[in-house]
Structures are given as structure tokens and as C-alpha cells.
Amino acid sequence: MEKDKLSNLRNIGIAAHIDAGKTTTTERILFYTGKNFKLGEVHEGTATMDWMEEEQKRGITITSAATTCFWNDYQINVIDTPGHVDFTIEVERSLRVLDGAICVFCGVGGVEAQTETVWRQANKYKVPRICFVNKMDRMGADFIKVFNDIKDKLNKNIVAVQLPIGKEKNFEGMVDLIKMKAIITVVDDAKSGSEYEEREIPEDMLEEATLYREMLIEGIADKVDWFMEKYLSESAFSEEEIMSALREGTIKYGLMPVLCGSAFKNRGVQQLLDAVCDYLPSPLDIPPIKGINTKDDTATERKPTADEHLSALAFKIASDKHGDLTYLRIYSGTLTSGQRLYNPRTRKKELASRIYSMHADKREQLEAAIAGDIVAVVGFKDTGTGDTICSEDHPVILEKIEFPETVISMAIEPKTEVEKEKLAIVLAKLAKEDPTFKIHTDSETSQLIISGMGELHLEVLKNRMLSEYKVNANVGAPRVSYRETIQREAEIDEKFVKQTGGRGQYARVEIRLEPHMGEKPVVFEDKIKGGVITKPYIKSVEKGIMDAAKSGVSGGYPLVNIKVTLLDGDMHAVDSSEFAFYNVAGVALRKAVEKAKSVLLEPIMKIEVTVPENYLGDVLGDFNSRRAIVDEMVNDGDLRVIKGKVPLAETFGYSSVLRSVTQGRGTYTMEPCEYKPAPAKVYSNVT
């Protein structure tokens, strides 16, 4: 029974560029699977999965929401993810624990900026995908154009399994290229698109359908060996053979089926559900999860069975009035209510007091969950996002989730002393929920600084603090998170000597500082010979270097792309201490940076602006005033798409300006791209 359950289980995410119709697609899935009895609409603020006040107010998805539904004999665990780049971490941590994904594309816009980001994230975790070209009823929708766009920009191994019948307002259904039948939705408002008919393919589409079916078969044959053998023998294929080979190609060899429809007009969603069950993997189709056995630091793996040792990954923390909810993907073993578990990172025990199956912000209590399940647990105290949960007798650490660096910050302070403690509790709660939300105290001003992934990200968190948690606080204007680096190599020989009435303090270090591009922003190397400095003192030097690098020199910004080598030093048998070496290391680094000429780095954003042609001149004029560089401009029907790069510091308030300049018809997306040296004017203003 367990094997049957696992083989009929699908853990999928729905990801897309903002406004591609991702949440609407999710709402239709919930309706047709019987999870919802009423269609939720994003524009009305009634979408089930957008349950947060900020989501309903803005009409966008901010946090990933999980639900479970059933289609035919299959259980589908669905995670709806945000499309806005400021909340891309929600996509990252969701894709880490999913077995498959639906990538939704706008039938007009095709591959957009955030689409590429989502695609890279899915590639990183090797997630099999289905592509759904949505909004085929929209003016300017073009399936073939979007299909070729995906093929050229994202993946050459895509195959169309459907073609649209009609376009724009005349879109009425799809051609199924496997069955070679037309699928026409019955137009009846009372049935909400739940009924459809299979008909013969329209005569004027027969030639095109035959061509694309041949392309489908060739695409599968190119990846699946047994299918190729039969293809070369010129034998006819059954529907079952094509579907079986397409499933194998999708799971093992990177093939991606492309479907089409209009979620808003209730066309194509049931066929999309069929494709999820037919082509996306079950937990049994995924290789055993790999990890490290913490008892002996050896590689190990866990199979997706209920009788295996328990392993689960915490991929999301959500605050709740009854206590924090920790979302888990169970990779192996069985989790029972009331079970004591182990977190190998913290080396602490955790209690799973209650287990829930989630439906957005609603829940259903479970007694147990097994390998393959995605559930939420109440009772964990010290578990954070990315932590592994397992049994203490068989500890394992699974691959962690990596989080990007923040690029924007703002100051926040409580209005009264009474609010100070409340603010600290709320900030800690939000930081636990969101690993890309950082808090620190400025060493010079003693101000409390919050940092995030973008202007919208911080604005949403600020509004949650003020309205949801009722914190009475003053919030400053957003500030850019600059970085510092150096231009050239420098060596410094520095002493720390302090004589008091009793024992003195003595330490000497000689360091070399040089530019260095590596995985880590700061690299430390020990080249001490002959034991002139002992190991504990070398550790203190390294810590002093790393701590000093965090606060920089010129403007107090973190140092990046540097290497510090400890060349020589000296210690005193009585007066030397870890404190002395820690201090001298920090002083030496600061002097070395000054000698090596520090450079201020500013974050550069990749930006994509879409505007009607008659507003192009005004938008470009404003674009140039922001130190932006245009990489390319492309036509998209009556619209123009400007792609380029712009310093983050120049983008504050851009949404309001663009709205004003284009009378509300312009849209844009941004994502972090790189750090580059800032001009002298910027340097003088911020240091």
C-alpha cells in the first residue's frame, strides 16, 4: 500500500514571472480537484492561496503557500510560489523540496526576466518541469512564438503536446498531439469549464498538428533509447508508448512537455492536471536523498520508504498564534505526532507535538506522515529554515538551502522604551520566517538596521510590523547595501602593546592583503612557520580579520573579494593573549585596506521595462537619468521591452515614476545582478 501511495504522489510547485497567471492556475487546480467549491480570483482578493492581508491588498503572492488535493487516484501536494523577484527566496526553498514543477508562461509575454531566474533555480535542483502557456485568450497571445522563445532562451529539449485551437478571443480549446483529438471546453457558466468534449481536429489544423506530432515523437526519440529503436524501425506508436516514453524523458533526460490554455477562462487546466500525473515524478522516481552521517562524517543516502531512518528538511517557518509552524519535506521514514526528534545543526532535541496537512492558512491534523509527504509541525523551538530533522540514533545532515545576500536596508527604532522589547520579539519572529531578512545594530550610530532583497520586500515587512503586529516604530528611508574591496596588494606589520599595572598585552602580526575572487567574500590563509604564533592565537587573528571585514573601513560597509595571508608574527610568553591578537588583526586589516586603496562597490540590478511605444522616449529619458545602461530593446506586439542594468540606488520610487510617465501602462521587473565600482560622486556621498 505504501508503494502505491508513493507512486501516486506528486510534490509539485507552480512558479512563474509575475502576472503570468500562476495563482489563478493554482485556484483552478483547487476547484477542479474539489478542494475548493468556489473559484477564487486574484483581482477580487479572494484567492485561497493568497491569504495574507498584504497579498490580498496588493494582488500578488508574497509567501509560498502549500495545499494538498486529489485528482483521479493521485495525491498532489501543491506549493504556489511568488512571482516577484523580491520574494525569490520563497521559490528557492520550495524548489529545493519539490519533485516537479509547473512553469507558467504568459501567452503574450513569453519568457520574461523572472522566468529566467526561476528556471535557473529549478535547474540548480534538477527539478523536472511541465510548461503551461497561459492566457491564450489574451490579445496578442501567440503559442508558437512563446514555444520558440522557451526553446531559444531556456531549453532546447521542449516538446509541444498540445496546440491551441483559435487565438485571442476566439481561443476555444486545444489539439492533443498524442491522441490526435481536439479538446473543446463546454461553454456553460454553471459548470465553470468542468466539462469538455473530444472532437476531430479541425481540417485547417490537421497539417500543422501532424507536423508538431512528428516533432514530438522525434524529440522523445532523441532522448529515450528504446523509443528511438522503435522509431528507426518505422513501427507505429500507441498512445501508451508515447506517454510512457515522454514520462521517462521528462524525469530522466530533461525533456519538457509544453501545454497551453487559459486558466482564467477555465480552459486546459484539467489536461494540465493529467499531465502532472502522467509525466512528473513521484518520490519513487527521484534518486535517494544524499546527506552526511554526523557520527563519522561519511556520505550516506536515505531511500523514500516509511521503514527507513527518518530524515526531513525544514524549508519554511511561519508564525502562528498557536506557535511557529515548521514546514517539512519528509524524505525518508515515518513522523508521528508527539515524536521526539533531533536537529544535528543545533544538537538539540525537538518535539513534534502536532502534525498538520496544510491548505494555505487552514489545516488538518494528522497522526502521522511518511516519506514523500509535505507537512507542517508545531512544537519546534530551535529549528530554522534549511535545517535537517532526523532521529538522534541515526543523525544525518541533508544538503542546505543557500540564501542570497541582502541589497537594501533601512533604520527602525521604537517610539517608546515600552515598544523596544515588543519590536525585538517581532523582528526575531520575521527573521525566523524569512532567511533573507537580516537585522543588525550599526556600530557607529547604534541604530537598528533591517535589510532585505528589495524595496517591495522591506515595505511588506514594514507594513506587517506596523499593522499585523501593531508595533509602534519609526522607519527610515531605504538605504543601499554597499560593499568595499581593494585595488591592489598591501603588506602591514602591526603591533599591539599595552602596559598596565599588572599583566600587559602584546601581539604582533604581519599580513598581506590582496584582491581575490572566490566563492567566499573573505579568504584567510595561515603561512606561519616555526610556531612563532600558536594555533589558538592564529584562530584569534582569523576571527579579528573576519569581524573587521564585516564593518569595512571607508564607509563601514562589508569587505568582499579579498584574501588575507598571515605571514609572520610574534608573541610574548606572559603578555600575549587571544584578546591582543584579535585586536591587532583588526587594526592591521584596516591599515592594509587604507594602503591598498579601498573601492566602494554598489549593487547593480538587471531591469526589464515594458511600455507602449508612444511612451518610449519619456521612459528612456528617465532611464538615462538613473545611470542605467540599455543592453537591448525588443518589440513585443505594440509594446517595447527595454532590457538593461541600473544601480539599485537609482531605483527608489521608480514604480511611482513609471506609473506617472506611462499613465499606469508601464511595468517593470528587477533582480540583483552584480556589484560594480561606484562613481566618485556616489563614493563621496555615502562615505
Side-chain angles (χ1 to χ4, degrees):
M1 282 301 290
E2 179 205 331
K3 192 172 181 180
D4 289 344
K5 181 197 168 181
L6 283 173
S7 65
N8 283 8
L9 176 63
R10 301 290 182 267
N11 289 316
I12 67 163
I14 301 181
H17 182 93
I18 192 169
D19 288 336
K22 169 179 50 57
T23 299
T24 302
T25 303
T26 308
E27 293 297 319
R28 295 314 186 264
I29 286 173
L30 297 181
F31 177 76
Y32 292 126
T33 57
K35 193 72 183 182
N36 286 353
F37 298 104
K38 182 178 180 295
L39 288 172
E41 303 292 2
V42 176
H43 61 278
E44 294 174 359
T46 59
T48 305
M49 304 298 272
D50 288 350
W51 57 271
M52 288 174 60
E53 184 184 334
E54 282 291 310
E55 292 177 317
Q56 293 173 351
K57 194 163 62 180
R58 296 173 184 275
I60 61 171
T61 303
I62 290 170
T63 183
S64 54
T67 190
T68 298
C69 56
F70 295 86
W71 182 247
N72 298 329
D73 296 325
Y74 291 85
Q75 176 183 331
I76 304 174
N77 295 328
V78 183
I79 297 181
D80 179 32
T81 62
H84 198 287
V85 70
D86 281 19
F87 309 104
T88 189
I89 186 57
E90 295 285 341
V91 184
E92 178 88 16
R93 58 186 175 183
S94 298
L95 288 170
R96 169 64 179 84
V97 300
L98 293 170
D99 301 329
I102 300 170
C103 286
V104 182
F105 296 82
C106 172
V108 181
V111 177
E112 299 175 89
Q114 182 63 5
T115 318
E116 297 184 46
T117 303
V118 170
W119 202 267
R120 285 196 301 272
Q121 290 170 310
N123 285 343
K124 178 179 173 182
Y125 296 114
K126 298 180 174 61
V127 179
R129 275 147 276 176
I130 287 172
C131 301
F132 180 61
V133 183
N134 191 28
K135 300 189 177 185
M136 292 308 303
D137 60 308
R138 284 263 314 272
M139 182 71 74
D142 188 331
F143 176 79
I144 302 301
K145 174 178 168 290
V146 176
F147 179 85
N148 290 329
D149 205 21
I150 299 169
K151 194 166 191 170
D152 293 340
K153 295 178 181 176
L154 302 177
N155 189 348
K156 296 191 184 305
N157 298 320
I158 63 167
V159 287
V161 295
Q162 292 178 347
L163 291 176
I165 300 174
K167 60 189 299 186
E168 300 176 347
K169 66 179 181 181
N170 295 319
F171 173 66
E172 58 177 343
M174 298 77 62
V175 171
D176 184 324
L177 295 173
I178 297 174
K179 293 181 178 179
M180 288 299 281
K181 293 286 185 183
I183 300 166
I184 308 296
T185 303
V186 176
V187 181
D188 185 341
D189 291 341
K191 299 185 187 306
S192 302
S194 56
E195 291 186 9
Y196 54 89
E197 298 173 352
E198 287 189 1
R199 301 177 186 171
E200 294 303 313
I201 298 171
E203 283 289 330
D204 60 347
M205 286 193 68
L206 199 53
E207 186 178 342
E208 184 185 28
T210 304
L211 173 66
Y212 272 87
R213 189 179 198 268
E214 186 61 26
M215 288 167 60
L216 166 65
I217 288 171
E218 286 176 1
I220 299 171
D222 194 46
K223 293 293 180 182
V224 182
D225 289 345
W226 67 265
F227 197 82
M228 172 62 87
E229 289 174 13
K230 188 161 184 178
Y231 176 72
L232 292 174
S233 70
E234 298 185 357
S235 303
F237 291 103
S238 67
E239 289 176 22
E240 290 74 20
E241 286 174 323
I242 296 172
M243 291 173 69
S244 175
L246 182 53
R247 174 177 179 79
E248 185 178 333
T250 303
I251 294 171
K252 292 183 179 179
Y253 307 116
L255 268 182
M256 293 181 194
V258 184
L259 296 85
C260 61
S262 168
F264 184 63
K265 291 294 178 70
N266 308 317
R267 291 179 171 88
V269 178
Q270 292 110 312
Q271 289 72 37
L272 179 62
L273 280 164
D274 288 339
V276 166
C277 302
D278 291 338
Y279 307 127
L280 290 183
S282 76
L284 295 173
D285 298 312
I286 303 298
I289 191 75
K290 290 180 168 54
I292 301 294
N293 184 329
T294 58
K295 283 186 174 179
D296 54 13
D297 286 335
T298 57
T300 186
E301 59 181 36
R302 299 287 171 85
K303 296 174 183 174
T305 59
D307 56 1
E308 176 71 274
H309 302 305
L310 177 70
S311 66
L313 191 75
F315 67 95
K316 178 179 170 72
I317 313 292
S319 293
D320 185 85
K321 60 186 176 184
H322 304 297
D324 287 344
L325 281 168
T326 304
Y327 284 74
L328 298 177
R329 161 66 193 265
I330 304 174
Y331 284 99
S332 63
T334 300
L335 174 67
T336 56
S337 186
Q339 186 176 352
R340 289 211 169 269
L341 304 160
Y342 181 65
N343 184 330
R345 180 185 65 84
T346 62
R347 297 180 182 178
K348 291 182 178 179
K349 293 180 181 179
E350 296 278 26
L351 175 66
S353 57
R354 293 186 299 281
I355 307 168
Y356 295 105
S357 171
M358 299 301 296
H359 180 49
D361 62 332
K362 298 178 177 61
R363 63 185 71 176
E364 178 187 340
Q365 192 164 346
L366 304 171
E367 287 304 312
I370 65 169
D373 284 337
I374 293 176
V375 295
V377 172
V378 171
F380 289 1
K381 302 295 184 189
D382 298 298
T383 294
T385 300
D387 283 354
T388 300
I389 296 297
C390 57
S391 60
E392 191 172 10
D393 294 340
H394 299 90
V396 65
I397 289 184
L398 305 177
E399 182 187 358
K400 291 183 177 179
I401 304 171
E402 295 177 1
F403 305 115
E405 289 291 317
T406 59
V407 296
I408 190 171
S409 59
M410 60 173 59
I412 184 167
E413 60 181 29
K415 288 185 178 180
T416 65
E417 279 296 316
V418 178
E419 291 288 308
K420 197 170 183 177
E421 188 176 345
K422 185 178 179 181
L423 177 63
I425 293 169
V426 170
L427 288 174
K429 193 183 285 284
L430 290 172
K432 192 175 181 182
E433 283 186 25
D434 184 350
T436 59
F437 176 58
K438 304 291 186 185
I439 311 151
H440 76 276
T441 302
D442 190 290
S443 56
E444 292 184 6
T445 64
S446 297
Q447 278 186 308
L448 198 60
I449 307 296
I450 58 175
S451 306
M453 296 306 299
E455 197 173 4
L456 179 61
H457 184 206
L458 283 189
E459 189 183 336
V460 166
L461 288 166
K462 178 191 77 175
N463 288 348
R464 287 188 66 192
M465 278 187 276
L466 301 180
S467 59
E468 186 178 328
Y469 293 105
K470 312 295 183 196
V471 174
N472 198 10
N474 293 316
V475 182
R479 305 189 309 185
V480 175
S481 295
Y482 294 98
R483 300 284 187 268
E484 287 183 49
T485 193
I486 55 169
Q487 293 179 307
R488 60 186 185 222
E489 186 179 304
E491 289 189 10
I492 291 288
D493 193 325
E494 186 67 22
K495 281 184 184 178
F496 178 77
V497 183
K498 191 174 181 181
Q499 293 295 131
T500 58
R503 179 184 169 183
Q505 295 286 349
Y506 178 83
R508 183 182 77 84
V509 295
E510 183 184 340
I511 65 168
R512 180 173 63 238
L513 175 68
E514 58 191 312
H516 178 79
M517 296 295 291
E519 290 184 9
K520 296 180 178 179
V522 182
V523 175
F524 176 82
E525 186 177 358
D526 165 29
K527 282 197 173 180
I528 290 291
K529 294 178 181 176
V532 293
I533 303 176
T534 60
K535 289 288 182 188
Y537 293 160
I538 292 171
K539 285 286 183 189
S540 296
V541 173
E542 183 177 4
K543 190 173 188 315
I545 294 287
M546 293 301 178
D547 286 354
K550 288 176 184 175
S551 56
V553 174
S554 300
Y557 303 108
L559 282 160
V560 296
N561 303 335
I562 61 168
K563 180 180 179 181
V564 181
T565 306
L566 179 59
L567 302 172
D568 199 5
D570 193 18
M571 62 183 182
H572 190 275
V574 178
D575 291 344
S576 287
S577 66
E578 291 180 7
F579 171 80
F581 276 99
Y582 175 87
N583 273 290
V584 77
V587 174
L589 179 67
R590 283 188 280 275
K591 287 185 177 181
V593 171
E594 289 172 2
K595 189 176 177 181
K597 299 290 184 186
S598 71
V599 178
L600 186 73
L601 301 175
E602 62 177 345
I604 306 298
M605 310 297 285
K606 188 189 290 184
I607 188 169
E608 190 171 296
V609 186
T610 304
V611 296
E613 188 173 10
N614 52 324
Y615 300 109
L616 185 62
D618 291 337
V619 170
L620 284 173
D622 178 71
F623 212 63
N624 293 331
S625 72
R626 297 174 184 273
R627 296 193 286 126
I629 297 169
V630 177
D631 292 329
E632 69 172 318
M633 279 197 292
V634 296
N635 296 340
D636 186 6
D638 296 332
L639 301 173
R640 296 294 178 267
V641 181
I642 308 164
K643 299 181 180 182
K645 296 183 181 73
V646 59
L648 176 64
E650 305 292 342
T651 65
F652 294 155
Y654 185 61
S655 56
S656 301
V657 172
L658 185 65
R659 233 179 357 256
S660 172
V661 169
T662 64
Q663 297 182 356
R665 296 177 65 192
T667 60
Y668 80 102
T669 59
M670 282 194 309
E671 63 176 306
C673 177
E674 59 188 338
Y675 273 87
K676 293 187 74 172
K681 186 178 178 182
V682 174
Y683 184 89
S684 60
N685 286 340
V686 301
T687 57

